[in-house]
Amino acid sequence: MSDSSSGSPRLTRRPEWTALEDHRADTLQRPRLRELFAADPARAERYVVRVGDLRIDYSKHLVDDETLALLQELAAATDVFGLRDAMFRGEKINTTEDRAVLHTALRAPRDAVVEVDGENVVPQVHAVLDKMSDFAERVRSGAWTGHTGRRIKNVVNIGIGGSDLGPAMAYEALRTFTARELTFRFVSNVDGADLHEAVRDLDPAETLFIVASKTFTTIETITNATSARSWLLNGPGGLGEEKAVAKHFVALSTNAGKVTEFGIDPDNMFEFWDWVGGRYSFDSAIGLSLMIAIGPDRFRELLDGFHIVDEHFKTAPAEANAPLILGLLGIWYGNFFGAESHAVLPYSHYLSKFTAYLQQLDMESNGKSVDRDGHVVGWETGPVVWGTPGTNGQHAYYQLIHQGTRLIPADLIGFARPAGELSDELAAQHDLLMANLFAQGQALAFGKTADEVRAEGIPEEQVPHRTFQGNHPTTTILAKALTPSVLGQLIALYEHKVFVQGAIWNIDSFDQWGVELGKVLAKRVEPALTEGADVPGLDPSTTALVAAYRDLKEG
Ligand code: F6P
């Protein structure tokens, strides 16, 4: 039976889905990772896919050749590659917003042709990149000066969500490539403390604000940008004259009208387009702060890294297509094992914000409960994504991954070489860091049996506590070093993995209506907090909370 307007059967009624359910039931009787490796040690080499500089090892997953074949059949039946091709062709696959989804065009080479509504968008992309490069070079060299003629020493990016997380994450990730003589800060929270802490030790005459907002209507960003302008003009050391804004504020946006209304010279606006989703935007003009930090050449290396994985996703056969394989493995656990979350655990201090970035990418994209045809889905969709750098996590929450009751698939990400600037002594710590990564992957997969614990002479009553069941799946992603290109490769890998899962779940991964309601309600509630205004339609619980807040505030 078909109950979808597209005429295809609902996902869970597809024979490829039920075949996976049967296979899953079967796996309860099947060997565990220990036995799978004992029977087939070659899986350590066979279940590896290489993309660009990334070596992606998925051998420690609860799969065998049959599982992988069944998952691939599901991908074929749901036409993942058909939707992929439509995306790359610029078709409006974001149907609820009637938009093309073309972040891949942001990293296309100059001579590529990518059309939206019959127009090749690649020349516009490169025109903006050239304008960004020119500006970034002028700031870096000191040719762009502030209103009083002083050199810019501080760059403050004001944005939120996709207009913050990407540049902030990549700035941390690529710190060793940044112009250390410049200070970079990222302000996102409407809590005034965020802007206060970002500017309290800065001199307005040496500070450039980059206001990053696709829509230029986001209340947090516009509020912070307005306060930043007041600080620039009237704060300690303020520049006084309104015309100072022209030298100290630039905008990154799709909305020229709102940028001008705010008072930023349109010449100082760096444009992008509605076919770039906010969470897919940091390789657009939204990356300007990063480009100033690492320089235009490094930024282009980053874009080239993205492009390597785009081409791989577009052309690699299904059985060697890394985003497809990772997406399918996530489906396997989320839909057939009841796994609710996915941990991303980088063994790199510089990737401290990487998982937070992926949270928006994955959860804002695939946190959906109706399918593309508007029907409530009858299957689980996006997982909770979480994690922090590896060794810190080991001394905090890894206990639950090892011995808790939940199945938590995890990605372990590491690099063969430490970041370039370390002293010999600190660089030597890198092997210890990576030993931890490998040890965790091993312990999670193979655990420790009760007999092994007993063999160590552990008293019998303690054996259950010291036994590790193992069989916890991990993907290990290795690269030589964390370079701009490698960072681009990693992000594109996750972008396309998220795409694959959304395609299989038949959801629109490119809208985000779920964040709208809270925004609308916040605007309605605010007058009740500031002026004690009566807000009609507030529910009793919120009314009581508002009253308590006002009492505490005034009492
Ligand atoms: O939270 C919703 C959202 O629209 C995100 O998708 C986006 O990245 C963020 O807000 C910021 O939006 P903008 O760049 O338009 O300020």
Side-chain angles (χ1 to χ4, degrees):
M1 172 189 151
S2 161
D3 53 6
S4 150
S5 61
S6 56
S8 48
R10 298 274 282 166
L11 181 60
T12 49
R13 292 198 201 129
R14 288 181 181 275
E16 296 81 6
W17 186 276
T18 48
L20 278 160
E21 281 175 335
D22 293 345
H23 181 68
R24 161 70 181 119
D26 216 28
T27 56
L28 296 171
Q29 269 63 258
R30 292 159 80 88
R32 301 162 62 81
L33 279 170
R34 274 183 182 241
E35 288 85 23
L36 287 171
F37 271 95
D40 176 19
R43 64 184 272 136
E45 286 300 333
R46 274 194 311 123
Y47 290 171
V48 171
V49 55
R50 289 181 175 77
V51 189
D53 300 301
L54 309 179
R55 182 187 189 278
I56 303 166
D57 177 328
Y58 58 100
S59 64
K60 293 194 187 76
H61 278 281
L62 309 178
V63 296
D64 56 18
D65 290 352
E66 189 187 349
T67 324
L68 293 171
L70 291 171
L71 286 166
Q72 288 290 358
E73 283 171 24
L74 180 68
T78 49
D79 197 20
V80 173
F81 281 177
L83 192 69
R84 171 201 66 183
D85 295 342
M87 172 176 75
F88 277 100
R89 274 198 304 271
E91 286 178 27
K92 297 191 174 170
I93 63 164
N94 176 0
T95 49
T96 72
E97 295 182 321
D98 193 28
R99 286 176 181 167
V101 173
L102 271 180
H103 41 279
T104 51
L106 298 170
R107 50 261 193 163
R110 228 176 251 280
D111 57 358
V113 177
V114 183
E115 292 189 348
V116 179
D117 292 330
E119 190 192 355
N120 181 15
V121 298
V122 177
Q124 306 170 44
V125 167
H126 281 272
V128 174
L129 277 172
D130 292 343
K131 182 176 170 183
M132 289 166 66
S133 302
D134 176 59
F135 182 74
E137 284 297 14
R138 284 198 285 154
V139 174
R140 285 164 65 87
S141 68
W144 178 280
T145 53
H147 178 62
T148 63
R150 302 245 298 272
R151 203 178 164 139
I152 295 297
K153 292 192 182 154
N154 317 304
V155 177
V156 181
N157 188 83
I158 299 179
I160 198 163
S163 300
D164 164 72
L165 287 163
M169 174 276 291
Y171 172 72
E172 287 303 327
L174 300 176
R175 247 182 202 256
T176 57
F177 298 91
T178 60
R180 297 288 196 171
E181 66 281 10
L182 296 175
T183 296
F184 290 85
R185 305 251 163 97
F186 296 86
V187 173
S188 56
N189 200 327
V190 75
D191 183 338
D194 198 0
L195 181 63
H196 168 75
E197 290 298 335
V199 299
R200 56 178 287 283
D201 57 346
L202 304 185
D203 182 340
E206 300 175 341
T207 301
L208 174 73
F209 289 98
I210 298 181
V211 186
S213 176
K214 178 176 168 180
T215 55
F216 230 76
T217 57
T218 304
I219 187 93
E220 292 89 341
T221 299
I222 300 307
T223 305
N224 275 326
T226 305
S227 299
R229 187 171 53 191
S230 304
W231 175 84
L232 180 89
L233 301 180
N234 308 317
L239 305 178
E241 298 175 281
E242 188 66 33
K243 66 177 186 199
V245 170
K247 299 293 273 177
H248 293 267
F249 270 77
V250 301
L252 321 175
S253 189
T254 59
N255 192 340
K258 288 281 176 197
V259 168
T260 315
E261 211 176 281
F262 181 84
I264 296 178
D265 185 344
D267 282 352
N268 295 344
M269 170 176 152
F270 298 82
E271 186 194 8
F272 61 111
W273 307 273
D274 72 1
W275 40 263
V276 181
R279 53 193 172 275
Y280 297 87
S281 67
F282 110 82
D283 43 356
S284 70
I286 291 293
L288 183 64
S289 53
L290 178 71
M291 190 193 265
I292 296 171
I294 64 173
D297 291 346
R298 295 292 194 189
F299 193 83
R300 284 175 198 267
E301 285 173 32
L302 174 94
L303 297 184
D304 291 345
F306 275 97
H307 185 64
I308 288 170
V309 177
D310 292 344
E311 285 299 300
H312 166 87
F313 182 46
K314 202 157 96 172
T315 58
E319 63 285 357
N321 194 301
L324 182 68
I325 293 167
L326 295 187
L328 288 171
L329 290 168
I331 298 266
W332 180 227
Y333 300 117
N335 295 107
F336 299 94
F337 282 72
E340 291 188 334
S341 76
H342 182 94
V344 179
L345 309 167
Y347 280 69
S348 164
H349 181 69
Y350 289 112
L351 288 181
S352 59
K353 294 190 172 163
F354 188 67
T355 310
Y357 172 79
L358 293 186
Q359 283 180 321
Q360 187 197 13
L361 174 66
D362 200 323
M363 294 163 79
E364 199 169 76
S365 296
N366 284 344
K368 308 288 163 64
S369 54
V370 291
D371 67 15
R372 282 196 199 97
D373 304 310
H375 299 126
V376 173
V377 293
W379 46 91
E380 300 298 338
T381 58
V384 176
V385 176
W386 62 283
T388 52
T391 46
N392 297 4
Q394 284 172 215
H395 295 273
Y397 50 77
Y398 272 43
Q399 166 65 35
L400 185 143
I401 307 181
H402 280 289
Q403 287 189 315
T405 53
R406 297 170 199 278
L407 177 73
I408 301 175
D411 297 345
L412 308 172
I413 303 172
F415 303 94
R417 295 191 180 165
E421 288 178 346
L422 302 186
S423 66
D424 289 349
E425 188 179 0
L426 291 177
Q429 293 178 200
H430 193 72
D431 287 342
L432 178 59
L433 172 73
M434 290 301 290
N436 274 279
L437 182 158
F438 297 126
Q440 290 299 324
Q442 185 181 5
L444 286 165
F446 305 115
K448 197 174 188 183
T449 64
D451 286 346
E452 286 168 344
V453 177
R454 283 188 196 102
E456 288 174 356
I458 302 298
E460 192 56 32
E461 67 276 13
Q462 287 209 17
V463 169
H465 300 282
R466 298 195 185 212
T467 300
F468 290 69
Q469 64 154 8
N471 234 26
H472 297 292
T474 54
T475 301
T476 305
I477 304 178
L478 275 183
K480 188 186 271 188
L482 180 54
T483 62
S485 173
V486 165
L487 183 67
Q489 293 171 38
L490 278 172
I491 296 168
L493 177 71
Y494 281 97
E495 284 178 349
H496 298 317
K497 172 197 161 181
V498 166
F499 175 93
V500 164
Q501 297 188 332
I504 292 174
W505 290 322
N506 191 30
I507 54 180
D508 186 337
S509 298
F510 301 100
D511 62 14
Q512 55 287 316
W513 299 108
V515 295
E516 293 304 321
L517 179 62
K519 289 187 195 172
V520 172
L521 292 183
K523 277 195 188 140
R524 273 178 53 198
V525 172
E526 196 194 0
L529 309 189
T530 50
E531 305 149 22
D534 194 20
V535 180
L538 271 196
D539 66 90
S541 169
T542 310
T543 304
L545 284 168
V546 167
Y549 171 82
R550 282 189 59 84
D551 281 353
L552 288 167
K553 184 175 160 181
E554 281 153 23

